[in-house]
Amino acid sequence: MTDTPITAPQPDTLLAHAGGGLDPSTGGVVPAIQPATTFARDAEYRLISASHLYARDDNDLSRQIENLVMRLEDARDTRVFGSGMAAIAAIVRAVKPGDSIVVQSGIYWGTTAWMRAHCAHVGIALVEADATETERFTETIRESGPALVFLEVPSNPFLAIADIRAIAEATHAAGAVLAVDATTATPLLMKPLALGADLVCHSGTKALNGHSDVLAGLVSTADADSDMWRFIRAERHDAGAVLSPFDGYLLQRGMRTLALRMERMCTSAQKIAEHLDAHPAVEKVLYPGLASHPGHGLAKAQMNGGFGYLMSFLVKGDAPEALAVIGRLNLILRATSLGGVESLAEHRHSLEGDSSGVPRNLIRLSVGIEAPEDLLADLDAALSGLPA
Ligand SMILES: *Cc1c(COP(=O)(O)O)cnc(C)c1O
């Protein structure tokens, strides 16, 4: 007998097999959807299945998704939620009134807006700071002594790259917990826990599901015994922000092709970013895959296999010029959200307004899996007619 080395399957393989989610009772090569909310007991009042009591926490598809994402993140435990915001809220609610939170400025507007409202409501000091200024940001952590530091890498819509390793060190020195929202990277491109973060979260609504038909969120931890994780687990179990079995089915099905989709989306995004960067009607492109991006070196060190599917570009002009470009798109859809198989363009300033700091001439672009030449042709046609 020869010793065969046991190697863990690659992430692509884990994803294709949905982490091994066969239906054990039939051998079905896709898992079954179990819509029951409650599970029966036998005459001796024993549960027929010891791991099935009530659907709020006993959803096999959610368990399979959690196990898969845990393996992709090299995490110790994972919980899936009913949306990305529910996942983020579970983390933030762990912070007690009177404590403080340091959060990266210029991140997903929904996170910023909810954190401001929540912290004001319960009496938590919220400190917003630019995380790309590593020294000043870590100084802010030392000064404010927070319970939680929250980053988004790469950030949406600015594609800013924070130094996770350096910020993790400063966070731990201050006795705080570092959470990273890595939605725009997915676990395939970046593993924040390996860079020192304590928690990593995702909106599963975006590239993980990838088909714009499910709301979901995920949180994974590097330490399954921490107080923070106990709180988050209880929050998911008791506060009830769970995923439905049907959404679990769609999320798991979508994730099977994540590796393939990310390959195409990252390659196309890189091509498009380079093309737009050289376009006379474009003032600036924000994409970490461009050598000219201020976070390019850091992104290269922190990410693997691509720089993601999201970018923003500033057209020459103001809001009317940006809206005119978006209005001339024929293929790329005008819609919010990101990470789907269909490319989406959005004028963030129209949603967030002046106080958010989003430039009026910024167009956010989520690159899908369409033929890249079709996307380039659509963008070129939409950009034509603008002053060069
Ligand atoms: C969309 C998004 C969220 C929120 O996720 P939902 O699933 O829409 O609740 C959080 N963070 C980032 C970076 C996002 O893009």
Side-chain angles (χ1 to χ4, degrees):
M1 233 172 65
T2 53
D3 279 347
T4 326
I6 300 163
T7 53
Q10 294 296 310
D12 306 34
T13 308
L14 283 175
L15 284 160
H17 286 237
L22 280 188
D23 172 25
S25 57
T26 63
V29 300
V30 299
I33 302 173
Q34 172 53 273
T37 53
T38 189
F39 298 88
R41 296 172 183 269
D42 64 15
E44 278 74 49
Y45 212 66
R46 283 180 308 236
L47 286 166
I48 288 172
S49 158
S51 54
H52 295 87
L53 187 154
Y54 189 64
R56 195 188 307 121
D57 213 40
D58 299 328
N59 174 336
D60 282 341
L61 284 159
S62 288
R63 286 184 181 139
Q64 287 167 20
I65 291 163
E66 287 164 355
N67 184 270
L68 173 57
V69 172
M70 182 184 76
R71 290 161 82 184
L72 293 174
E73 299 276 23
D74 293 328
R76 305 314 296 261
D77 204 1
T78 298
R79 283 294 180 278
V80 65
F81 290 79
S83 72
M85 282 314 301
I88 290 167
I91 298 171
V92 172
R93 286 200 190 104
V95 178
K96 296 186 179 106
D99 271 338
S100 67
I101 297 175
V102 174
V103 62
Q104 178 178 355
S105 56
I107 59 170
Y108 173 63
W109 181 239
T111 302
T112 302
W114 182 79
M115 274 197 201
R116 284 177 186 170
H118 172 76
C119 290
H121 183 67
V122 303
I124 293 168
L126 184 66
V127 183
E128 299 179 37
D130 181 352
T132 62
E133 301 279 347
T134 309
E135 274 186 29
R136 216 180 306 159
F137 193 79
T138 52
E139 186 56 37
T140 302
I141 294 171
R142 275 190 292 278
E143 281 169 3
S144 34
L148 173 71
V149 175
F150 193 96
L151 300 176
E152 188 180 282
V153 190
S155 72
N156 164 16
F158 292 107
L159 287 306
I161 307 293
D163 187 337
I164 296 172
R165 211 183 280 280
I167 292 169
E169 263 175 41
T171 301
H172 296 150
V177 167
L178 176 64
V180 178
D181 181 340
T183 297
T184 60
T186 79
L188 287 183
L189 302 189
M190 195 178 74
K191 294 193 200 319
L193 301 183
L195 297 165
D198 303 286
L199 298 168
V200 55
C201 62
H202 293 273
S203 166
T205 313
K206 312 298 167 56
L208 285 175
N209 176 57
H211 295 74
S212 308
D213 54 7
V214 171
L215 282 170
L218 292 133
V219 188
S220 300
T221 184
D223 179 1
D225 299 319
S226 67
D227 289 344
M228 188 79 169
W229 190 247
R230 261 190 288 277
F231 180 93
I232 291 167
R233 259 175 32 206
E235 183 74 9
R236 210 297 295 274
H237 180 271
D238 303 332
V242 297
L243 196 67
S244 85
F246 297 99
D247 283 349
Y249 178 81
L250 286 172
L251 174 58
Q252 196 193 50
R253 179 187 167 115
M255 284 176 67
R256 288 183 163 219
T257 55
L258 177 66
L260 267 180
R261 287 186 282 110
M262 286 303 286
E263 216 174 285
R264 166 65 75 90
M265 285 153 72
C266 290
T267 309
S268 294
Q270 182 71 36
K271 259 186 218 159
I272 291 168
E274 284 168 14
H275 182 81
L276 291 175
D277 200 37
H279 198 288
V282 174
E283 185 184 301
K284 194 175 182 179
V285 179
L286 310 177
Y287 184 67
L290 293 176
S292 59
H293 188 283
H296 179 64
L298 201 48
K300 242 164 101 170
Q302 292 184 163
M303 299 173 85
N304 235 317
F307 297 95
Y309 54 87
L310 188 71
M311 72 184 70
S312 291
F313 61 101
L314 280 61
V315 297
K316 286 184 182 160
D318 208 318
E321 284 75 18
L323 285 165
V325 170
I326 293 178
R328 282 193 291 264
L329 290 168
N330 275 315
L331 175 68
I332 298 169
L333 298 169
R334 289 171 285 275
T336 192
S337 201
L338 39 126
V341 291
E342 63 286 299
S343 295
L344 303 176
E346 194 184 29
H347 188 241
R348 285 302 305 170
H349 186 272
S350 292
L351 278 92
E352 297 184 31
D354 279 322
S355 66
S356 65
V358 173
R360 307 160 78 91
N361 58 339
L362 180 144
I363 296 174
R364 191 183 73 187
L365 182 65
S366 175
V367 177
I369 63 166
E370 303 95 331
E373 54 269 40
D374 290 338
L375 296 173
L376 285 169
D378 197 35
L379 286 163
D380 273 346
L383 283 164
S384 71
L386 280 180

